[in-house]
Amino acid sequence: MRVLLVGGAGYIGSHVSMAFLEKGHQVGVFDNLSSGLRTNIHKDAQFFEGDVLDQQRLSAVCAEGWDAVVHLAAFKAAGESMVSPEKYSINNISGSLNLMIAAAQHDIQTFVLSSSAAVYGEPEYLPVDEAHPTKPSNYYGFTKLDIERNLGWYDQLRGLKYASLRYFNAAGYDPEGRVTGIEKNPANLIPVVMEVAIGEREELLVFGDDYDTKDGTGVRDYIHVTDLAEAHVKAAEQVAASRNSMVVNLGSEAGLSVLEIVESARRITGSKIPLNIVERRAGDPAKLIASAKLASELLNWKARYSSAEEIIETTWRVYKKAHG
Ligand code: UD1
């Protein structure tokens, strides 16, 4: 297949790009490099610099004959989306609509979306399966849900078949060390822990230790980015072949608390990782754990790299290297 990865120079995109190339597909990367990195673009991928808000440029690139688009270009800081919603409306919602329109216009028939467990909001039961009600507790999650709903209409009205992949907490780096770019100003737990371990930040702020969880800190389902990447390839192939759309969770089905992540990071990095317990962060659920049964059934996919050790070891290697 010829696959256009929109946002393909980002952290997840760079792993997805390798996964498609490894399976013998041709890859194009469309990215505005706002948070994506030039060093993340695979040498065998064709690069198109551009912004999803530039409909003309998007349309011109989509005209180049693609079988599928994978849409990974979005802002993703849940906390920030609650104070700067406009940024998320424009980039995430308008940008995605532009891409759907361009795909439909140029007869690209398969669309894979980076969606998120944030569409569910505070879980009503665990593990969270795809039938769980969708009531996002932050605006970021709402933008992903809104994009999914639009995809449903483009499927019905324009025959655009899609896979919406609801990631739980993406983490880790390529186990073979081929991705070396690190995120600037991260807000997610593991990169922040790494910055503390490397000495770039003084301490980790733990957002609340009075949740109803094993140790009071937030519990999440961390899914290794290499596992995610593999699922994108399977989803694109499956949707292209079956012409059936799907909405699936991608998670490890295991829950790790903030303190468990810190413990594991202390062991692996040998750093003390000082922490400070502060107020809860708005919009954060106590616990989020996936059921990935549907992904296993539809895609024959299962997380293979998602232990705390594999996630932290592969991330630490990249941080150490980046800091000499
Ligand atoms: C959120 C979204 C998730 C999305 C991800 C992308 C929700 C419920 N989840 O994940 O779907 O894919 O953003 O960015 O909206 N923490 C600290 N200190 C820190 C950072 C985080 O204690 O400095 C804690 C959080 O309170 C949470 C856990 O660590 O319990 C993970 O947080 P984070 O990595 O930011 O991801 P989520 O908010 O779970």
Side-chain angles (χ1 to χ4, degrees):
M1 282 202 276
R2 270 176 56 78
V3 184
L4 181 64
L5 306 184
V6 177
Y11 160 61
I12 296 175
S14 53
H15 290 85
V16 171
S17 169
M18 279 190 319
F20 273 101
L21 288 165
E22 271 171 10
K23 288 275 180 229
H25 298 292
Q26 285 178 45
V27 170
V29 168
F30 183 96
D31 203 297
N32 68 0
L33 300 177
S34 69
S35 60
L37 303 168
R38 218 171 263 280
T39 52
N40 275 345
I41 303 167
H42 197 285
K43 63 171 184 18
D44 297 333
Q46 196 183 352
F47 180 52
F48 305 90
E49 190 163 349
D51 198 298
V52 286
L53 298 176
D54 181 349
Q55 183 76 66
Q56 243 181 343
R57 173 77 176 141
L58 201 51
S59 178
V61 174
C62 283
E64 299 213 2
W66 307 97
D67 302 300
V69 289
V70 179
H71 181 28
L72 306 125
F75 292 133
K76 65 169 176 74
E80 182 194 49
S81 76
M82 299 296 278
V83 288
S84 306
E86 298 81 2
K87 207 177 142 175
Y88 286 73
S89 323
I90 297 169
N91 194 58
N92 294 13
I93 299 180
S94 303
S96 299
L97 286 172
N98 286 345
L99 182 56
M100 278 177 232
I101 293 166
Q105 192 180 25
H106 296 289
D107 203 30
I108 303 175
Q109 297 189 350
T110 298
F111 195 110
V112 178
L113 173 71
S114 283
S115 188
S116 169
V119 299
Y120 297 115
E122 184 71 43
E124 291 175 13
Y125 58 85
L126 291 170
V128 175
D129 58 18
E130 293 80 357
H132 186 285
T134 46
K135 292 183 197 154
S137 54
N138 52 59
Y139 186 66
Y140 160 72
F142 170 76
T143 66
K144 292 290 178 178
L145 187 58
D146 195 55
I147 300 160
E148 285 189 357
R149 290 183 174 155
N150 275 291
L151 276 172
W153 283 104
Y154 271 73
D155 177 343
Q156 196 181 314
L157 304 173
R158 288 284 177 255
L160 183 64
K161 299 296 166 188
Y162 68 94
S164 181
L165 306 179
R166 293 177 173 169
Y167 314 159
F168 281 63
N169 288 60
Y173 272 83
D174 174 40
E176 290 175 41
R178 290 167 296 179
V179 176
T180 54
I182 54 176
E183 243 183 307
K184 296 162 260 181
N185 307 313
N188 289 117
L189 178 65
I190 294 176
V192 170
V193 167
M194 291 294 115
E195 290 194 352
V196 179
I198 212 85
E200 208 167 80
R201 285 187 200 228
E202 265 179 32
E203 59 184 8
L204 167 72
L205 301 180
V206 175
F207 301 141
D209 69 348
D210 56 354
Y211 284 105
D212 181 18
T213 59
K214 45 191 158 189
D215 57 25
T217 63
V219 167
R220 294 291 181 274
D221 177 326
Y222 293 90
I223 177 76
H224 196 287
V225 67
T226 300
D227 286 325
L228 285 182
E230 192 183 298
H232 287 71
V233 180
K234 291 189 166 204
E237 291 172 346
Q238 180 72 19
V239 171
S242 71
R243 307 310 303 143
N244 286 319
S245 294
M246 61 174 83
V247 176
V248 293
N249 286 343
L250 296 178
S252 68
E253 305 191 311
L256 293 169
S257 72
V258 174
L259 295 182
E260 284 173 330
I261 293 286
V262 171
E263 271 318 309
S264 176
R266 282 179 175 151
R267 230 176 16 249
I268 289 163
T269 66
S271 156
K272 207 169 155 281
I273 314 186
L275 47 84
N276 193 359
I277 312 283
V278 295
E279 286 296 291
R280 292 180 176 194
R281 183 173 63 179
D284 266 0
K287 256 192 244 179
L288 208 46
I289 300 170
S291 159
K293 200 162 159 256
L294 193 61
S296 154
E297 284 168 14
L298 294 180
L299 301 175
N300 188 25
W301 173 91
K302 214 175 160 30
R304 293 189 293 154
Y305 298 96
S306 297
S307 67
E309 283 65 35
E310 184 86 19
I311 284 174
I312 294 186
E313 262 166 28
T314 55
T315 311
W316 179 234
R317 218 179 295 147
V318 173
Y319 273 77
K320 260 196 318 202
K321 201 164 170 194
H323 289 81

